[in-house]
Amino acid sequence: DITDNLSFRGSYGTNYQAPGAGLNPGEVNVGVNSYTIAGGDWRGATTVTATGIEPETATVWNTGFIWQSEGFDAGHDFQFIVDYFSIETEDELGLLASANTIASSVFSIPPPGQTSVPSNRTALADCSHPLIGRVQFNGGTCTQGVTTANDFAAITTEFGNGPGQLTEGFDVQANYSFPAFAGDMRLGLTLTKVEKFEFGETTLDGFLLDPGDDRLGTLNFATIAQAGPEWRANVNINYGQGDHNFRLVIGYIDGVKDERYYNADGTINEAALVPGGFQPGTTTPFEPSYYGVDPGGWLAGDFHWIWDHEWASFTASINNITDEDPPASRQEFGYDPRIGNPLGRTFEVGIRKTF
């Protein structure tokens, strides 16, 4: 504690995670995967657990300060907390490369007449690619200049010690409470600003699949990472009077770009946005569809009421008050469940009686 109002804090720690008891080196698991390079088709995906797996490790530290004081008037309380956090992992347990990444790496040649690699199954295979042995072809072999992304049946990948991650950013909390009318009002804010979301390089069979990059602000659909929004925030207003409590919560999650449809220079790869085939009843090709490429963020509010009656507790809620749609995303459900809610405006009522 520096003063009666100001305190500083910090922590440092290391940790590790051993492979799970159910993890068996050499184990083979067969499933299916949606492949971007094949127009989102579901095809086979085989995962082999590597031998020689080691525990993944993590180094975590944070530092920050806490300010606590009286507010603008007597009886008002104010608290403000800011922390900077850093989480660095190494030898992370997971897929060394997703089946999607392998497919996009092998089928990396534009078809004749095109300058960019499309995602409509027409991309040509690089039959000399170091990972070609992980691709199972319908015809059994790969023919250079002929075999396309329409001609593979399955991809084999590996589970083991993969690249590390570095996540850093700020956590902010603010709370202000004061008496209002015959009750108490509390205003609150929680905010997270991610500064870094970086991945180390990814290699498989000695081939450098990914030199490592900053995945902040991207969907990360075709990687082992989760979506990486830069901002998350919640604002809440709480009023309590006697047995009644009213609470309004407004949440915001920053939008993410779908990196599958962006070129290395940050421009959109429009060729990958053109569906295969022609418009119904014509020979006119489809136009690019920008659905879910850069959909924007999610902003929604919920309202809750609680009545703690001596006989029972009664509750009522309105979720997603303004009936917002989740940001569009090129996934199975058409949205990312980690960012938005598809239910729209919903009403809930409840009663709880203990005896």
Side-chain angles (χ1 to χ4, degrees):
D1 293 345
I2 304 301
T3 69
D4 291 340
N5 304 114
L6 180 63
S7 301
F8 288 92
R9 65 182 181 180
S11 66
Y12 176 88
T14 59
N15 206 341
Y16 75 94
Q17 177 177 317
L23 195 65
N24 301 311
E27 183 178 25
V28 177
N29 291 290
V30 179
V32 293
N33 194 87
S34 175
Y35 290 93
T36 303
I37 199 68
D41 288 354
W42 287 87
R43 301 184 187 178
T46 301
T47 302
V48 179
T49 302
T51 59
I53 287 182
E54 299 178 352
E56 66 177 70
T57 60
T59 301
V60 182
W61 64 268
N62 78 286
T63 183
F65 70 87
I66 303 173
W67 174 270
Q68 291 181 302
S69 67
E70 190 176 77
F72 295 110
D73 201 353
H76 293 207
D77 294 315
F78 174 63
Q79 182 186 64
F80 185 62
I81 303 173
V82 177
D83 286 300
Y84 188 85
F85 61 86
S86 175
I87 306 170
E88 184 174 11
T89 62
E90 295 181 359
D91 299 323
E92 184 171 340
L93 293 169
L95 293 177
L96 301 190
S98 70
N100 232 317
T101 301
I102 296 173
S104 297
S105 182
V106 171
F107 296 94
S108 56
I109 302 175
Q114 297 191 31
T115 58
S116 56
V117 181
S119 60
N120 59 0
R121 310 176 190 84
T122 61
L124 293 167
D126 177 1
C127 296
S128 62
H129 196 284
L131 300 178
I132 198 69
R134 293 184 172 272
V135 182
Q136 179 183 338
F137 294 98
N138 293 323
T141 59
C142 179
T143 302
Q144 192 65 51
V146 176
T147 302
T148 69
N150 197 43
D151 300 323
F152 78 93
I155 300 285
T156 298
T157 187
E158 190 169 301
F159 184 96
N161 292 110
Q165 298 183 37
L166 175 62
T167 306
E168 294 186 350
F170 291 93
D171 278 333
V172 178
Q173 300 178 56
N175 295 286
Y176 193 95
S177 60
F178 57 95
F181 306 103
D184 296 295
M185 181 78 76
R186 294 198 308 272
L187 311 177
L189 166 70
T190 61
L191 181 150
T192 297
K193 168 65 167 68
V194 180
E195 295 286 325
K196 296 180 181 180
F197 187 43
E198 300 174 348
F199 270 57
E201 65 178 29
T202 300
T203 60
L204 183 62
D205 299 341
F207 176 73
L208 181 63
L209 271 169
D210 189 338
D213 56 5
D214 186 355
R215 294 176 180 166
L216 181 62
T218 59
L219 179 64
N220 298 312
F221 178 83
T223 72
I224 61 174
Q226 293 186 350
E230 185 176 354
W231 292 91
R232 291 177 182 265
N234 276 284
V235 175
N236 63 81
I237 303 172
N238 193 93
Y239 180 72
Q241 180 176 331
D243 297 334
H244 296 271
N245 191 83
F246 306 87
R247 185 175 181 84
L248 175 66
V249 181
I250 300 174
Y252 173 76
I253 302 178
D254 207 13
V256 294
K257 295 181 178 180
D258 194 331
E259 75 286 351
R260 294 173 293 173
Y261 304 101
Y262 281 83
N263 299 313
D265 61 1
T267 59
I268 295 176
N269 179 8
E270 291 192 349
L273 301 177
V274 179
F278 302 98
Q279 298 183 28
T282 72
T283 57
T284 305
F286 285 100
E287 295 293 323
S289 170
Y290 293 88
Y291 181 90
V293 176
D294 187 7
W298 166 256
L299 178 66
D302 303 329
F303 179 77
H304 309 281
W305 166 71
I306 301 175
W307 180 22
D308 277 327
H309 189 270
E310 61 181 9
W311 182 79
S313 292
F314 301 88
T315 61
S317 298
I318 307 174
N319 299 311
N320 193 356
I321 298 171
T322 54
D323 197 25
E324 300 294 330
D325 291 326
S329 182
R330 292 180 176 236
Q331 302 186 53
E332 291 80 3
F333 300 118
Y335 72 99
D336 190 334
R338 299 165 295 187
I339 293 180
N341 187 333
L343 295 181
R345 184 188 299 113
T346 60
F347 299 86
E348 299 178 3
V349 293
I351 180 173
R352 181 180 180 184
K353 170 65 175 176
T354 59
F355 51 89

